Amino acid sequence: MPEARTPAQIEADIARRRSELATTLDEIGVRMHPSTIIGDAKAKVASKVDHTAGRACAFANRMIADVRSQFVTDEGVPRLERIVPAAMVAVGVLGLLTVSSKRNKA
């Protein structure tokens, strides 16, 4: 059979539980404070943005490497058989745009 507690033990237990409850309520107050909620939301958004930006950067690097590999060999030598036709197409497109813009102005 459990021993009977003295009034002093009961009061000490009540004081301890009050202290624990006050600590718990303080923690809840901090967690539920609008600035804490906003800070947590900002941190989550920043994390998502960083993740998305990182993925976009990796994708861009892959695309640049793929395009570069079309015009340069693994040894770094330019592939003239691909560069010259691409340059000619670019010059042709620029020429057509120039002629088209001059016609629209006239």
Side-chain angles (χ1 to χ4, degrees):
M1 181 169 197
E3 294 182 27
R5 299 187 322 161
T6 65
Q9 289 173 327
I10 294 171
E11 288 175 6
D13 190 36
I14 290 171
R16 181 182 53 80
R17 289 185 184 211
R18 273 190 190 142
S19 176
E20 290 173 356
L21 181 59
T23 301
T24 301
L25 289 173
D26 287 345
E27 288 177 6
I28 291 171
V30 168
R31 289 181 188 172
M32 298 308 295
H33 194 274
S35 63
T36 304
I37 294 171
I38 291 170
D40 290 348
K42 284 182 181 178
K44 286 180 182 179
V45 169
S47 173
K48 290 287 187 184
V49 167
D50 288 345
H51 178 71
T52 303
R55 288 179 57 196
C57 185
F59 177 75
N61 284 337
R62 268 195 315 275
M63 293 302 294
I64 290 170
D66 289 346
V67 170
R68 185 174 190 271
S69 70
Q70 296 297 317
F71 295 101
V72 179
T73 64
D74 292 336
E75 295 80 28
V77 178
R79 294 181 176 181
L80 293 179
E81 71 277 4
R82 293 187 179 173
I83 293 174
V84 171
M88 291 175 68
V89 167
V91 168
V93 169
L94 286 174
L96 287 173
L97 289 174
T98 302
V99 169
S100 174
S101 68
K102 285 183 181 180
R103 285 186 183 171
N104 288 339
K105 288 181 183 179

